[in-house]
Amino acid sequence: MKRWLLIAGRLIIAVIFLYAGFEKVREPWLQFAVSVESFKMAPDSWLEPVSRILPWCEIALGISLIPGILSRWFSLIATGLLAFFLFIGIRASVKGLTVDCGCFGSGHSGAIDAMWYVEHVAMLALGLAVTVGEFLKARERRA
Amino acid sequence: MMRYLLLFVPLALLTAQTPAASKKVSNHKALAAASVQKNFKESGSPTAPVSVEIYTDYECPACRQLYMETLPSLNSEFVATGKVHLLHRDYPLPQHQFSKLATRYANAAGTIGKYDVVANQIFVTQPDWSQNGNVDAAVAKVLSPADMEKVRTMVKSDSHLDDSVTQDVAMGNNVDHLNQTPTIVIIAKGKREVINGGAPYAILKQYLDQKLRQ
């Protein structure tokens, strides 16, 4: 993979995580907690910590992806998170849950529909490509 | 002696003013009572530190769930204890065929002091009347024939029955920028926080407790 393409891909993922995090921290934590609860995965006692911490983790991850230091590991974490988000979306659809994903705050449609799948599969594919590229780059450096 | 006289003068003036003052107080009480009676969608103390406004549509299943699962606990633990002032706002969605009709029934019942019982009945029986639009039959089960007749007359012909709904919808569109029902607005220290969707009681409680501690 060309170097500039790898950088561009990594920066796109960084921007996605920064945007997702900022949109959520701008809102009361209760808003994101309502979204998290709609997935019926976490006990009530987890809702507040998850909805307070996760957006800041997204921001931290977004910032960490920018300078290119330890980028393969941060890309791997980002891809893992994207895979997890896609998994919980599929799980919600299979269970027939009416979910508001809250991925980018309440200002965006959080319904898990065809568009949601297109977006999330595309983000995951980009994440995978960047992670593989970063690991290959690291191996080339060592060789 | 002079000192006693000086004490007596303001006392005399105060006594002379008492009837007027008490009249003012009683006028105030009457006004407050009238406004309480008028705004039947309100409950709890108007001076509560936190206000919660809930936009609902009578035909929306998520609103029904919020009404039946979250509101009873909210009412007993926060509203009845004076911690929260609660206001229902109507936001009938255009895609719901019978929602406006149901809203008219609830608000007509409100004008005769039966808002809570009728709003509750409308939500409870939502799966039935949302199929055929027979809100009347559902409401008739919880009102006396005389009250039902008053409600029917208002639903048919009261042109001002939707005034508060128009205000609520305008508020929802212009101030709270609603994009769904239910929507919960939490007002603390003058700040309005709009929460889209129905919050389960457990997390709403955590959030309100934090607001009350602040």
Side-chain angles (χ1 to χ4, degrees):
Chain A
M1 192 185 276
K2 286 190 175 175
R3 190 178 150 76
W4 67 267
L5 213 57
L6 197 58
I7 294 171
R10 201 181 69 230
L11 290 180
I12 290 171
I13 298 171
V15 169
I16 290 169
F17 273 93
L18 283 171
Y19 180 61
F22 275 122
E23 284 296 295
K24 287 195 273 276
V25 295
R26 280 182 338 128
E27 295 178 337
W29 66 261
L30 178 61
Q31 181 66 73
F32 188 45
V34 168
S35 298
V36 175
E37 194 278 337
S38 68
F39 284 91
K40 310 283 180 212
M41 284 185 74
D44 288 345
S45 57
W46 288 23
L47 295 174
E48 184 187 348
V50 167
S51 41
R52 277 184 184 276
I53 295 166
L54 186 59
W56 288 107
C57 289
E58 289 177 324
I59 291 171
L61 189 56
I63 293 169
S64 307
L65 280 164
I66 294 171
I69 302 161
L70 296 174
S71 51
R72 63 186 188 283
W73 299 110
F74 288 125
S75 303
L76 184 67
I77 294 168
T79 306
L81 264 179
L82 290 168
F84 175 70
F85 295 151
L86 183 62
F87 162 73
I88 61 171
I90 293 169
R91 180 185 171 275
S93 298
V94 169
K95 290 195 164 224
L97 300 174
T98 307
V99 161
D100 175 4
C101 88
C103 313
F104 298 101
S106 65
H108 299 74
S109 167
I112 297 190
D113 51 15
M115 195 60 209
W116 187 91
Y117 279 109
V118 169
E119 283 171 8
H120 279 72
V121 169
M123 287 191 288
L124 179 60
L126 180 64
L128 280 170
V130 169
T131 306
V132 170
E134 292 287 351
F135 271 92
L136 287 176
K137 194 178 82 180
R139 201 171 66 176
E140 279 168 20
R141 267 199 213 134
R142 280 200 300 268
Chain B
M1 183 66 190
M2 195 62 187
R3 215 183 284 168
Y4 288 112
L5 270 174
L6 281 172
L7 267 174
F8 177 76
V9 173
L11 196 69
L13 282 170
L14 198 71
T15 320
Q17 278 180 352
T18 304
S22 72
K23 200 175 176 182
K24 260 187 189 172
V25 169
S26 66
N27 275 349
H28 216 75
K29 273 184 183 167
L31 273 172
S35 69
V36 166
Q37 231 175 10
K38 197 180 167 192
N39 201 351
F40 46 81
K41 295 182 193 175
E42 268 183 276
S43 47
S45 165
T47 56
V50 174
S51 284
V52 173
E53 298 181 4
I54 300 179
Y55 289 90
T56 56
D57 165 306
Y58 284 104
E59 207 174 334
C60 134
C63 299
R64 178 177 188 262
Q65 193 182 355
L66 177 78
Y67 189 89
M68 295 180 70
E69 292 175 12
T70 303
L71 277 193
S73 305
L74 179 71
N75 272 322
S76 62
E77 289 187 38
F78 287 92
V79 180
T81 52
K83 295 174 189 168
V84 164
H85 172 244
L86 181 67
L87 176 66
H88 293 267
R89 288 191 182 275
D90 292 311
Y91 198 84
L93 297 168
Q95 65 265 35
H96 287 156
Q97 200 184 348
F98 307 116
S99 185
K100 279 188 178 172
L101 178 66
T103 308
R104 280 183 74 79
Y105 270 92
N107 291 340
T111 60
I112 60 164
K114 303 283 180 184
Y115 180 75
D116 288 341
V117 68
V118 168
N120 181 63
Q121 174 71 353
I122 291 173
F123 273 123
V124 168
T125 57
Q126 185 200 74
D128 304 328
W129 59 260
S130 61
Q131 301 297 313
N132 54 23
N134 197 355
V135 184
D136 191 281
V139 175
K141 285 180 188 162
V142 291
L143 290 182
S144 67
D147 282 345
M148 193 62 208
E149 218 30 63
K150 286 180 200 165
V151 167
R152 280 185 185 129
T153 308
M154 278 185 271
V155 167
K156 267 185 200 156
S157 55
D158 190 338
S159 58
H160 292 291
L161 204 54
D162 295 332
D163 288 356
S164 71
V165 184
T166 310
Q167 283 172 14
D168 288 348
V169 170
M171 186 79 180
N173 291 337
N174 304 327
V175 177
D176 296 322
H177 308 292
L178 249 67
N179 57 23
Q180 68 177 90
T181 59
T183 290
I184 301 169
V185 182
I186 297 168
I187 305 140
K189 293 185 176 170
K191 191 180 169 198
R192 294 180 79 84
E193 292 181 333
V194 179
I195 310 295
N196 296 299
Y201 181 67
I203 45 171
L204 183 62
K205 177 181 162 40
Q206 282 179 40
Y207 195 76
L208 290 175
D209 281 336
Q210 281 179 16
K211 287 280 159 195
L212 289 165
R213 277 197 299 270
Q214 281 170 8

